[in-house]
Amino acid sequence: MTTTLITGANKGIGFETAKQLVELGHTVYIGARDTERGEKAAADIGARFVQLDVTDDASVSSALARIGSDEGSLGVLVNNAGILANEALDGPAALRAFDVNAVGFVRVTEAALPLLRKSANPTVVTVSSSMGSFWAVTNPDRAEYRMPLALYAASKAAATMLTVQYAKANPGIKFNAVEPGTTATDMTAAFGIGRSAQDSAKVVVRLATLGVDGPTGTLQDESGVLAW
Ligand code: NAP
């Protein structure tokens, strides 16, 4: 039985990923910063809830300690929690964007590494974004070219780079970043765009269920490898 932790999994793409991995037989921990929302989401799909705010070191370490004492190892970590951070372009907004989208990855991954190393096929998926691809945002043929989401794009570029650096430093663990596809969630509600979270979660699930010889250090979308 594979134990899986997904951050920010009380709704959206994270929740649908949790649902699909439960259906595949994983023991899934829904990491959510809000206890009520997290417990409800976990109960809805037969997952477990663990309180986890990716901006709070104490919350992260107690979440991983709980999984360690209950399960002994962690097979899959999905770093999914993210914010758009488009309310302002100033110092506090930049700190918030990087705290959740990039520093959160470091906090959770560092706390999870000892448990990942105890798994037979450890896999980390970063739900990043093609908005963090230099290739996409400088390519006039791509929709990302016309999206002025500076803090989101820069913090997702950082998340993708962290994924690559962790892959290089940890050859026994697969680390891949994914662009799940434009999805209708609370994050994109103001734009009225995107497909269902169920469809986008399939892209995340594919990278979360790679075999031992699967790729590492890549950025992918549903068509395969995405340019940096
Ligand atoms: P969403 O529905 O807004 O979900 C975001 C999740 O992150 C929520 O569960 C939220 O929890 C959680 N979160 C935010 N801050 C957190 C924190 N400090 N600690 C723990 N959890 C936190 O958005 P989504 O579209 O599903 O986004 C999921 C991921 O996909 C994000 O990383 C996003 O950047 C990425 N993505 C989305 C799209 C898209 O088109 N939607 C495209 C590319 C990439 P609360 O409910 O407590 O706020």
Side-chain angles (χ1 to χ4, degrees):
M1 182 86 84
T2 303
T3 302
T4 294
L5 168 63
I6 307 173
T7 66
N10 54 287
K11 66 180 182 181
I13 296 166
F15 175 74
E16 289 298 333
T17 301
K19 189 173 174 200
Q20 291 175 24
L21 289 174
V22 167
E23 284 161 8
L24 289 174
H26 290 216
T27 299
V28 175
Y29 281 79
I30 285 199
R33 57 183 168 167
D34 181 86
T35 299
E36 200 175 316
R37 288 196 292 270
E39 278 180 345
K40 183 183 181 312
D44 282 351
I45 59 168
R48 297 168 193 198
F49 162 70
V50 65
Q51 198 280 333
L52 198 166
D53 182 332
V54 303
T55 66
D56 179 346
D57 286 295
S59 155
V60 170
S61 57
S62 76
L64 272 301
R66 148 102 192 278
I67 294 170
S69 71
D70 287 0
E71 311 292 339
S73 69
L74 183 67
V76 178
L77 167 63
V78 181
N79 282 304
N80 166 78
I83 59 170
L84 198 58
N86 65 339
E87 70 280 4
L89 186 50
D90 57 19
L95 286 170
R96 273 195 299 281
F98 277 81
D99 201 11
V100 178
N101 294 348
V103 184
F105 169 95
V106 176
R107 283 192 190 94
V108 178
T109 305
E110 284 298 317
L113 276 176
L115 290 180
L116 288 162
R117 291 195 182 109
K118 291 183 182 168
S119 161
N121 181 24
T123 298
V124 179
V125 181
T126 309
V127 184
S128 186
S129 173
S130 54
M131 279 303 299
S133 157
F134 288 82
W135 169 78
V137 300
T138 56
N139 182 341
D141 296 332
R142 296 277 306 197
E144 296 87 344
Y145 183 86
R146 288 173 291 282
M147 291 190 139
L149 296 168
L151 298 177
Y152 183 73
S155 58
K156 289 296 188 179
T160 300
M161 177 59 83
L162 285 164
T163 307
V164 173
Q165 295 296 334
Y166 270 84
K168 290 172 68 177
N170 296 276
I173 305 176
K174 288 181 288 301
F175 282 86
N176 292 289
V178 63
E179 154 56 53
T182 305
T183 313
T185 61
D186 286 353
M187 183 178 283
T188 56
F191 309 113
I193 53 171
R195 63 183 181 182
S196 74
Q198 289 95 312
D199 285 342
S200 296
K202 289 181 194 159
V203 186
V204 182
V205 167
R206 178 174 64 79
L207 285 173
T209 55
L210 293 171
V212 180
D213 297 328
T216 188
T218 69
L219 169 63
Q220 300 198 28
D221 66 9
E222 67 185 330
S223 310
V225 170
L226 187 66
W228 305 115

